[in-house]
Amino acid sequence: NSGSASDIPGVKERTLVAIKPDGVQRRLIGQIIKRFEQRGFRLVGLKMVQVSEELLSQHYVALRKKPFYPSVLQYMTSGPVVAMVWEGHNVIKSTRMLVGDTNPAEAAPGTLRGDFSIHVSRNVVHASDSPEVAQKEISLWFHRSELIDWVCCDFGNIYHP
Ligand code: UDP
């Protein structure tokens, strides 16, 4: 199998993306997924979830001491979230760039937050910000059996072996 596109280093990198309750309520699921699909990333996990406070307390462990933490908990449990795992070369960094700055006022036009949000407390989408965090978040949100390693038929047109 040497020389195939799937041998490219980093092509199996994965990140967790979550469409937050505001994104679901505002019917932005399709538009958000579209941006990852058209880029060429591979979707390996997808589900709609009503998130528990228990999961969130692990997900946002770094924010526990922040004054806005209770309102983040309330917001993130206010309705369903669409959780996804996307895979591809540099997907963690590329996704953070596609999502845009945490504060929508700083998010560039063309980014998801820059196009779809105004206020930091309703910024539509979450994405892992480092390889360590991505690994932790994927195993927190998804069981291994929920991640599908399917064959992408256009791989050779997205990567150069
Ligand atoms: N957040 C907020 N107020 C703030 C800062 C953050 O409500 O002043 C929320 C916001 O929804 C953000 C989330 O907390 O996306 C997590 O913050 P983090 O700094 O981890 O940013 P992210 O990784 O989501 O860009």
Side-chain angles (χ1 to χ4, degrees), residues 80-100:
V81 166
V82 171
M84 301 175 274
V85 177
W86 287 94
E87 183 186 275
H89 187 59
N90 281 329
V91 70
I92 298 168
K93 182 171 181 222
S94 297
T95 296
R96 288 293 293 192
M97 292 188 74
L98 174 61
V99 165

mmCIF file with all atom_site columns, all heavy atoms in Angstrom, residues 80-100:
data_model
loop_
_atom_site.group_PDB
_atom_site.id
_atom_site.type_symbol
_atom_site.label_atom_id
_atom_site.label_alt_id
_atom_site.label_comp_id
_atom_site.label_asym_id
_atom_site.label_entity_id
_atom_site.label_seq_id
_atom_site.pdbx_PDB_ins_code
_atom_site.Cartn_x
_atom_site.Cartn_y
_atom_site.Cartn_z
_atom_site.occupancy
_atom_site.B_iso_or_equiv
_atom_site.pdbx_formal_charge
_atom_site.auth_seq_id
_atom_site.auth_comp_id
_atom_site.auth_asym_id
_atom_site.auth_atom_id
_atom_site.pdbx_PDB_model_num
ATOM 1   N N   . PRO A 1 80  ? -30.356 20.747 22.151 1.00 0.00 ? 80  PRO A N   1
ATOM 2   C CA  . PRO A 1 80  ? -29.439 19.769 21.581 1.00 0.00 ? 80  PRO A CA  1
ATOM 3   C C   . PRO A 1 80  ? -28.209 20.390 20.923 1.00 0.00 ? 80  PRO A C   1
ATOM 4   O O   . PRO A 1 80  ? -28.235 21.528 20.450 1.00 0.00 ? 80  PRO A O   1
ATOM 5   C CB  . PRO A 1 80  ? -30.296 19.039 20.543 1.00 0.00 ? 80  PRO A CB  1
ATOM 6   C CG  . PRO A 1 80  ? -31.463 19.917 20.277 1.00 0.00 ? 80  PRO A CG  1
ATOM 7   C CD  . PRO A 1 80  ? -31.680 20.741 21.504 1.00 0.00 ? 80  PRO A CD  1
ATOM 8   N N   . VAL A 1 81  ? -27.156 19.600 20.926 1.00 0.00 ? 81  VAL A N   1
ATOM 9   C CA  . VAL A 1 81  ? -25.880 19.959 20.302 1.00 0.00 ? 81  VAL A CA  1
ATOM 10  C C   . VAL A 1 81  ? -25.607 18.897 19.231 1.00 0.00 ? 81  VAL A C   1
ATOM 11  O O   . VAL A 1 81  ? -25.944 17.728 19.416 1.00 0.00 ? 81  VAL A O   1
ATOM 12  C CB  . VAL A 1 81  ? -24.762 19.921 21.390 1.00 0.00 ? 81  VAL A CB  1
ATOM 13  C CG1 . VAL A 1 81  ? -23.374 19.954 20.777 1.00 0.00 ? 81  VAL A CG1 1
ATOM 14  C CG2 . VAL A 1 81  ? -24.943 21.069 22.379 1.00 0.00 ? 81  VAL A CG2 1
ATOM 15  N N   . VAL A 1 82  ? -25.010 19.297 18.119 1.00 0.00 ? 82  VAL A N   1
ATOM 16  C CA  . VAL A 1 82  ? -24.595 18.324 17.100 1.00 0.00 ? 82  VAL A CA  1
ATOM 17  C C   . VAL A 1 82  ? -23.080 18.154 17.205 1.00 0.00 ? 82  VAL A C   1
ATOM 18  O O   . VAL A 1 82  ? -22.326 19.095 16.967 1.00 0.00 ? 82  VAL A O   1
ATOM 19  C CB  . VAL A 1 82  ? -25.009 18.758 15.677 1.00 0.00 ? 82  VAL A CB  1
ATOM 20  C CG1 . VAL A 1 82  ? -24.388 17.843 14.621 1.00 0.00 ? 82  VAL A CG1 1
ATOM 21  C CG2 . VAL A 1 82  ? -26.537 18.725 15.556 1.00 0.00 ? 82  VAL A CG2 1
ATOM 22  N N   . ALA A 1 83  ? -22.680 16.962 17.626 1.00 0.00 ? 83  ALA A N   1
ATOM 23  C CA  . ALA A 1 83  ? -21.254 16.671 17.820 1.00 0.00 ? 83  ALA A CA  1
ATOM 24  C C   . ALA A 1 83  ? -20.724 15.894 16.625 1.00 0.00 ? 83  ALA A C   1
ATOM 25  O O   . ALA A 1 83  ? -21.408 15.008 16.101 1.00 0.00 ? 83  ALA A O   1
ATOM 26  C CB  . ALA A 1 83  ? -21.056 15.863 19.098 1.00 0.00 ? 83  ALA A CB  1
ATOM 27  N N   . MET A 1 84  ? -19.517 16.255 16.209 1.00 0.00 ? 84  MET A N   1
ATOM 28  C CA  . MET A 1 84  ? -18.919 15.620 15.035 1.00 0.00 ? 84  MET A CA  1
ATOM 29  C C   . MET A 1 84  ? -17.435 15.397 15.266 1.00 0.00 ? 84  MET A C   1
ATOM 30  O O   . MET A 1 84  ? -16.797 16.158 16.006 1.00 0.00 ? 84  MET A O   1
ATOM 31  C CB  . MET A 1 84  ? -19.037 16.541 13.809 1.00 0.00 ? 84  MET A CB  1
ATOM 32  C CG  . MET A 1 84  ? -20.451 16.906 13.465 1.00 0.00 ? 84  MET A CG  1
ATOM 33  S SD  . MET A 1 84  ? -20.487 18.105 12.116 1.00 0.00 ? 84  MET A SD  1
ATOM 34  C CE  . MET A 1 84  ? -20.311 19.629 13.022 1.00 0.00 ? 84  MET A CE  1
ATOM 35  N N   . VAL A 1 85  ? -16.903 14.388 14.587 1.00 0.00 ? 85  VAL A N   1
ATOM 36  C CA  . VAL A 1 85  ? -15.458 14.229 14.509 1.00 0.00 ? 85  VAL A CA  1
ATOM 37  C C   . VAL A 1 85  ? -15.075 14.332 13.045 1.00 0.00 ? 85  VAL A C   1
ATOM 38  O O   . VAL A 1 85  ? -15.627 13.611 12.196 1.00 0.00 ? 85  VAL A O   1
ATOM 39  C CB  . VAL A 1 85  ? -14.994 12.881 15.106 1.00 0.00 ? 85  VAL A CB  1
ATOM 40  C CG1 . VAL A 1 85  ? -13.488 12.720 14.931 1.00 0.00 ? 85  VAL A CG1 1
ATOM 41  C CG2 . VAL A 1 85  ? -15.372 12.798 16.584 1.00 0.00 ? 85  VAL A CG2 1
ATOM 42  N N   . TRP A 1 86  ? -14.184 15.262 12.736 1.00 0.00 ? 86  TRP A N   1
ATOM 43  C CA  . TRP A 1 86  ? -13.683 15.463 11.372 1.00 0.00 ? 86  TRP A CA  1
ATOM 44  C C   . TRP A 1 86  ? -12.221 15.055 11.317 1.00 0.00 ? 86  TRP A C   1
ATOM 45  O O   . TRP A 1 86  ? -11.475 15.274 12.275 1.00 0.00 ? 86  TRP A O   1
ATOM 46  C CB  . TRP A 1 86  ? -13.855 16.923 10.946 1.00 0.00 ? 86  TRP A CB  1
ATOM 47  C CG  . TRP A 1 86  ? -15.286 17.281 10.669 1.00 0.00 ? 86  TRP A CG  1
ATOM 48  C CD1 . TRP A 1 86  ? -16.184 17.833 11.544 1.00 0.00 ? 86  TRP A CD1 1
ATOM 49  C CD2 . TRP A 1 86  ? -16.000 17.083 9.438  1.00 0.00 ? 86  TRP A CD2 1
ATOM 50  N NE1 . TRP A 1 86  ? -17.404 17.986 10.934 1.00 0.00 ? 86  TRP A NE1 1
ATOM 51  C CE2 . TRP A 1 86  ? -17.323 17.540 9.640  1.00 0.00 ? 86  TRP A CE2 1
ATOM 52  C CE3 . TRP A 1 86  ? -15.653 16.558 8.190  1.00 0.00 ? 86  TRP A CE3 1
ATOM 53  C CZ2 . TRP A 1 86  ? -18.300 17.492 8.642  1.00 0.00 ? 86  TRP A CZ2 1
ATOM 54  C CZ3 . TRP A 1 86  ? -16.625 16.520 7.188  1.00 0.00 ? 86  TRP A CZ3 1
ATOM 55  C CH2 . TRP A 1 86  ? -17.928 16.978 7.415  1.00 0.00 ? 86  TRP A CH2 1
ATOM 56  N N   . GLU A 1 87  ? -11.841 14.498 10.196 1.00 0.00 ? 87  GLU A N   1
ATOM 57  C CA  . GLU A 1 87  ? -10.490 13.960 10.039 1.00 0.00 ? 87  GLU A CA  1
ATOM 58  C C   . GLU A 1 87  ? -9.821  14.520 8.788  1.00 0.00 ? 87  GLU A C   1
ATOM 59  O O   . GLU A 1 87  ? -10.488 14.718 7.763  1.00 0.00 ? 87  GLU A O   1
ATOM 60  C CB  . GLU A 1 87  ? -10.578 12.431 9.919  1.00 0.00 ? 87  GLU A CB  1
ATOM 61  C CG  . GLU A 1 87  ? -9.230  11.752 9.819  1.00 0.00 ? 87  GLU A CG  1
ATOM 62  C CD  . GLU A 1 87  ? -9.390  10.266 9.553  1.00 0.00 ? 87  GLU A CD  1
ATOM 63  O OE1 . GLU A 1 87  ? -9.554  9.508  10.526 1.00 0.00 ? 87  GLU A OE1 1
ATOM 64  O OE2 . GLU A 1 87  ? -9.353  9.871  8.370  1.00 0.00 ? 87  GLU A OE2 1
ATOM 65  N N   . GLY A 1 88  ? -8.515  14.723 8.876  1.00 0.00 ? 88  GLY A N   1
ATOM 66  C CA  . GLY A 1 88  ? -7.754  15.132 7.696  1.00 0.00 ? 88  GLY A CA  1
ATOM 67  C C   . GLY A 1 88  ? -6.445  15.780 8.095  1.00 0.00 ? 88  GLY A C   1
ATOM 68  O O   . GLY A 1 88  ? -6.184  16.050 9.268  1.00 0.00 ? 88  GLY A O   1
ATOM 69  N N   . HIS A 1 89  ? -5.635  16.057 7.094  1.00 0.00 ? 89  HIS A N   1
ATOM 70  C CA  . HIS A 1 89  ? -4.327  16.675 7.306  1.00 0.00 ? 89  HIS A CA  1
ATOM 71  C C   . HIS A 1 89  ? -4.504  18.070 7.911  1.00 0.00 ? 89  HIS A C   1
ATOM 72  O O   . HIS A 1 89  ? -5.235  18.899 7.344  1.00 0.00 ? 89  HIS A O   1
ATOM 73  C CB  . HIS A 1 89  ? -3.634  16.770 5.938  1.00 0.00 ? 89  HIS A CB  1
ATOM 74  C CG  . HIS A 1 89  ? -2.223  17.239 5.994  1.00 0.00 ? 89  HIS A CG  1
ATOM 75  N ND1 . HIS A 1 89  ? -1.238  16.581 6.700  1.00 0.00 ? 89  HIS A ND1 1
ATOM 76  C CD2 . HIS A 1 89  ? -1.618  18.294 5.415  1.00 0.00 ? 89  HIS A CD2 1
ATOM 77  C CE1 . HIS A 1 89  ? -0.100  17.208 6.561  1.00 0.00 ? 89  HIS A CE1 1
ATOM 78  N NE2 . HIS A 1 89  ? -0.296  18.253 5.789  1.00 0.00 ? 89  HIS A NE2 1
ATOM 79  N N   . ASN A 1 90  ? -3.874  18.311 9.061  1.00 0.00 ? 90  ASN A N   1
ATOM 80  C CA  . ASN A 1 90  ? -3.954  19.613 9.753  1.00 0.00 ? 90  ASN A CA  1
ATOM 81  C C   . ASN A 1 90  ? -5.377  20.015 10.147 1.00 0.00 ? 90  ASN A C   1
ATOM 82  O O   . ASN A 1 90  ? -5.681  21.210 10.268 1.00 0.00 ? 90  ASN A O   1
ATOM 83  C CB  . ASN A 1 90  ? -3.376  20.739 8.883  1.00 0.00 ? 90  ASN A CB  1
ATOM 84  C CG  . ASN A 1 90  ? -1.865  20.761 8.928  1.00 0.00 ? 90  ASN A CG  1
ATOM 85  O OD1 . ASN A 1 90  ? -1.268  20.391 9.936  1.00 0.00 ? 90  ASN A OD1 1
ATOM 86  N ND2 . ASN A 1 90  ? -1.247  21.186 7.842  1.00 0.00 ? 90  ASN A ND2 1
ATOM 87  N N   . VAL A 1 91  ? -6.241  19.019 10.367 1.00 0.00 ? 91  VAL A N   1
ATOM 88  C CA  . VAL A 1 91  ? -7.659  19.363 10.597 1.00 0.00 ? 91  VAL A CA  1
ATOM 89  C C   . VAL A 1 91  ? -7.873  20.195 11.865 1.00 0.00 ? 91  VAL A C   1
ATOM 90  O O   . VAL A 1 91  ? -8.789  21.029 11.909 1.00 0.00 ? 91  VAL A O   1
ATOM 91  C CB  . VAL A 1 91  ? -8.548  18.088 10.598 1.00 0.00 ? 91  VAL A CB  1
ATOM 92  C CG1 . VAL A 1 91  ? -8.297  17.233 11.835 1.00 0.00 ? 91  VAL A CG1 1
ATOM 93  C CG2 . VAL A 1 91  ? -10.013 18.445 10.471 1.00 0.00 ? 91  VAL A CG2 1
ATOM 94  N N   . ILE A 1 92  ? -7.027  20.018 12.884 1.00 0.00 ? 92  ILE A N   1
ATOM 95  C CA  . ILE A 1 92  ? -7.240  20.758 14.137 1.00 0.00 ? 92  ILE A CA  1
ATOM 96  C C   . ILE A 1 92  ? -7.028  22.256 13.904 1.00 0.00 ? 92  ILE A C   1
ATOM 97  O O   . ILE A 1 92  ? -7.891  23.088 14.208 1.00 0.00 ? 92  ILE A O   1
ATOM 98  C CB  . ILE A 1 92  ? -6.329  20.234 15.270 1.00 0.00 ? 92  ILE A CB  1
ATOM 99  C CG1 . ILE A 1 92  ? -6.655  18.760 15.558 1.00 0.00 ? 92  ILE A CG1 1
ATOM 100 C CG2 . ILE A 1 92  ? -6.463  21.082 16.526 1.00 0.00 ? 92  ILE A CG2 1
ATOM 101 C CD1 . ILE A 1 92  ? -5.633  18.060 16.456 1.00 0.00 ? 92  ILE A CD1 1
ATOM 102 N N   . LYS A 1 93  ? -5.887  22.588 13.315 1.00 0.00 ? 93  LYS A N   1
ATOM 103 C CA  . LYS A 1 93  ? -5.581  24.004 13.049 1.00 0.00 ? 93  LYS A CA  1
ATOM 104 C C   . LYS A 1 93  ? -6.517  24.584 11.992 1.00 0.00 ? 93  LYS A C   1
ATOM 105 O O   . LYS A 1 93  ? -7.022  25.705 12.130 1.00 0.00 ? 93  LYS A O   1
ATOM 106 C CB  . LYS A 1 93  ? -4.126  24.124 12.592 1.00 0.00 ? 93  LYS A CB  1
ATOM 107 C CG  . LYS A 1 93  ? -3.717  25.549 12.355 1.00 0.00 ? 93  LYS A CG  1
ATOM 108 C CD  . LYS A 1 93  ? -2.230  25.681 12.123 1.00 0.00 ? 93  LYS A CD  1
ATOM 109 C CE  . LYS A 1 93  ? -1.889  27.154 11.912 1.00 0.00 ? 93  LYS A CE  1
ATOM 110 N NZ  . LYS A 1 93  ? -0.937  27.356 10.843 1.00 0.00 ? 93  LYS A NZ  1
ATOM 111 N N   . SER A 1 94  ? -6.745  23.827 10.925 1.00 0.00 ? 94  SER A N   1
ATOM 112 C CA  . SER A 1 94  ? -7.618  24.328 9.855  1.00 0.00 ? 94  SER A CA  1
ATOM 113 C C   . SER A 1 94  ? -9.026  24.596 10.370 1.00 0.00 ? 94  SER A C   1
ATOM 114 O O   . SER A 1 94  ? -9.672  25.563 9.968  1.00 0.00 ? 94  SER A O   1
ATOM 115 C CB  . SER A 1 94  ? -7.682  23.329 8.701  1.00 0.00 ? 94  SER A CB  1
ATOM 116 O OG  . SER A 1 94  ? -6.413  23.168 8.122  1.00 0.00 ? 94  SER A OG  1
ATOM 117 N N   . THR A 1 95  ? -9.482  23.733 11.281 1.00 0.00 ? 95  THR A N   1
ATOM 118 C CA  . THR A 1 95  ? -10.828 23.917 11.830 1.00 0.00 ? 95  THR A CA  1
ATOM 119 C C   . THR A 1 95  ? -10.900 25.156 12.708 1.00 0.00 ? 95  THR A C   1
ATOM 120 O O   . THR A 1 95  ? -11.859 25.927 12.633 1.00 0.00 ? 95  THR A O   1
ATOM 121 C CB  . THR A 1 95  ? -11.264 22.661 12.610 1.00 0.00 ? 95  THR A CB  1
ATOM 122 O OG1 . THR A 1 95  ? -11.351 21.582 11.700 1.00 0.00 ? 95  THR A OG1 1
ATOM 123 C CG2 . THR A 1 95  ? -12.597 22.864 13.293 1.00 0.00 ? 95  THR A CG2 1
ATOM 124 N N   . ARG A 1 96  ? -9.883  25.370 13.526 1.00 0.00 ? 96  ARG A N   1
ATOM 125 C CA  . ARG A 1 96  ? -9.883  26.577 14.356 1.00 0.00 ? 96  ARG A CA  1
ATOM 126 C C   . ARG A 1 96  ? -9.907  27.828 13.469 1.00 0.00 ? 96  ARG A C   1
ATOM 127 O O   . ARG A 1 96  ? -10.566 28.819 13.787 1.00 0.00 ? 96  ARG A O   1
ATOM 128 C CB  . ARG A 1 96  ? -8.654  26.616 15.280 1.00 0.00 ? 96  ARG A CB  1
ATOM 129 C CG  . ARG A 1 96  ? -8.691  25.616 16.423 1.00 0.00 ? 96  ARG A CG  1
ATOM 130 C CD  . ARG A 1 96  ? -9.763  25.903 17.455 1.00 0.00 ? 96  ARG A CD  1
ATOM 131 N NE  . ARG A 1 96  ? -9.547  27.109 18.211 1.00 0.00 ? 96  ARG A NE  1
ATOM 132 C CZ  . ARG A 1 96  ? -10.219 27.439 19.315 1.00 0.00 ? 96  ARG A CZ  1
ATOM 133 N NH1 . ARG A 1 96  ? -11.152 26.629 19.811 1.00 0.00 ? 96  ARG A NH1 1
ATOM 134 N NH2 . ARG A 1 96  ? -9.997  28.570 19.929 1.00 0.00 ? 96  ARG A NH2 1
ATOM 135 N N   . MET A 1 97  ? -9.190  27.774 12.345 1.00 0.00 ? 97  MET A N   1
ATOM 136 C CA  . MET A 1 97  ? -9.202  28.925 11.423 1.00 0.00 ? 97  MET A CA  1
ATOM 137 C C   . MET A 1 97  ? -10.568 29.085 10.761 1.00 0.00 ? 97  MET A C   1
ATOM 138 O O   . MET A 1 97  ? -11.045 30.199 10.570 1.00 0.00 ? 97  MET A O   1
ATOM 139 C CB  . MET A 1 97  ? -8.112  28.769 10.374 1.00 0.00 ? 97  MET A CB  1
ATOM 140 C CG  . MET A 1 97  ? -6.730  28.897 10.999 1.00 0.00 ? 97  MET A CG  1
ATOM 141 S SD  . MET A 1 97  ? -5.423  28.941 9.778  1.00 0.00 ? 97  MET A SD  1
ATOM 142 C CE  . MET A 1 97  ? -5.646  30.596 9.120  1.00 0.00 ? 97  MET A CE  1
ATOM 143 N N   . LEU A 1 98  ? -11.182 27.961 10.412 1.00 0.00 ? 98  LEU A N   1
ATOM 144 C CA  . LEU A 1 98  ? -12.511 27.991 9.793  1.00 0.00 ? 98  LEU A CA  1
ATOM 145 C C   . LEU A 1 98  ? -13.569 28.497 10.785 1.00 0.00 ? 98  LEU A C   1
ATOM 146 O O   . LEU A 1 98  ? -14.486 29.229 10.418 1.00 0.00 ? 98  LEU A O   1
ATOM 147 C CB  . LEU A 1 98  ? -12.862 26.581 9.302  1.00 0.00 ? 98  LEU A CB  1
ATOM 148 C CG  . LEU A 1 98  ? -14.241 26.313 8.740  1.00 0.00 ? 98  LEU A CG  1
ATOM 149 C CD1 . LEU A 1 98  ? -14.505 27.180 7.516  1.00 0.00 ? 98  LEU A CD1 1
ATOM 150 C CD2 . LEU A 1 98  ? -14.381 24.842 8.359  1.00 0.00 ? 98  LEU A CD2 1
ATOM 151 N N   . VAL A 1 99  ? -13.403 28.128 12.057 1.00 0.00 ? 99  VAL A N   1
ATOM 152 C CA  . VAL A 1 99  ? -14.369 28.536 13.089 1.00 0.00 ? 99  VAL A CA  1
ATOM 153 C C   . VAL A 1 99  ? -14.197 30.016 13.448 1.00 0.00 ? 99  VAL A C   1
ATOM 154 O O   . VAL A 1 99  ? -15.175 30.723 13.653 1.00 0.00 ? 99  VAL A O   1
ATOM 155 C CB  . VAL A 1 99  ? -14.216 27.626 14.332 1.00 0.00 ? 99  VAL A CB  1
ATOM 156 C CG1 . VAL A 1 99  ? -14.918 28.209 15.553 1.00 0.00 ? 99  VAL A CG1 1
ATOM 157 C CG2 . VAL A 1 99  ? -14.753 26.230 14.020 1.00 0.00 ? 99  VAL A CG2 1
ATOM 158 N N   . GLY A 1 100 ? -12.966 30.480 13.509 1.00 0.00 ? 100 GLY A N   1
ATOM 159 C CA  . GLY A 1 100 ? -12.719 31.885 13.819 1.00 0.00 ? 100 GLY A CA  1
ATOM 160 C C   . GLY A 1 100 ? -12.506 32.150 15.302 1.00 0.00 ? 100 GLY A C   1
ATOM 161 O O   . GLY A 1 100 ? -12.669 31.265 16.143 1.00 0.00 ? 100 GLY A O   1
#
